[in-house]
């Protein structure tokens, strides 16, 4: 699904329609709820039957707190009680940058 610039954002039913692979990115200033929104959306996608991966590059590492499970370590971790539909990963941006510039 392609949207024109300036068009209204999709609603959740539109976001979960179909089975093709999709990528959603959440951004904004610090402290506005990006991680809370992202983890909530990821759980809803998984509950709607979409195999989902949520990735955070926030240096504060709050995705583990949002999901009540340690998802640090550089590899996707299956989120508990999601029947293999939700995986999460926290990436340390400084370590990743060093790895790719070495």
């Amino acid at each position: 699904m392609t949207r024109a610039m300036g068009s209204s954002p999709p609603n959740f039913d539109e976001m979960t329609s179909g089975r093709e692979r999709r990528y959603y990115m959440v951004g904004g200033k610090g402290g506005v709820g990006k991680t809370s929104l992202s983890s909530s959306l990821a759980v809803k996608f998984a509950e709607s039957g979409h195999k989902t991966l949520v990735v955070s590059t926030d240096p504060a590492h709050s995705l583990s707190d949002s999901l009540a499970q340690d998802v640090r370590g550089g590899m996707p971790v299956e989120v508990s009680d999601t029947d293999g539909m939700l995986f999460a990963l926290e990436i340390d941006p400084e370590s990743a940058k060093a790895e790719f510039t070495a």
Side-chain angles (χ1 to χ4, degrees), residues 13-89:
D13 289 335
E14 290 174 323
M15 293 170 74
T16 58
S17 67
R19 300 319 273 166
E20 68 275 0
R21 181 175 298 192
R22 296 184 184 177
Y23 300 91
Y24 291 99
M25 298 180 78
V26 177
K29 290 185 167 229
V32 298
K34 296 178 298 294
T35 301
S36 297
L37 173 66
S38 299
S39 57
S40 295
L41 275 175
V43 168
K44 287 294 288 180
F45 279 119
E47 288 175 347
S48 296
H50 293 271
K51 205 158 203 173
T52 304
L53 172 65
V54 60
V55 179
S56 175
T57 59
D58 188 341
H61 297 298
S62 58
L63 184 60
S64 288
D65 295 334
S66 291
L67 297 171
Q69 181 176 336
D70 186 1
V71 297
R72 294 170 295 166
M75 295 298 293
V77 175
E78 183 178 343
V79 177
S80 300
D81 301 324
T82 62
D83 296 323
M85 295 302 289
L86 177 58
F87 292 79
L89 166 64

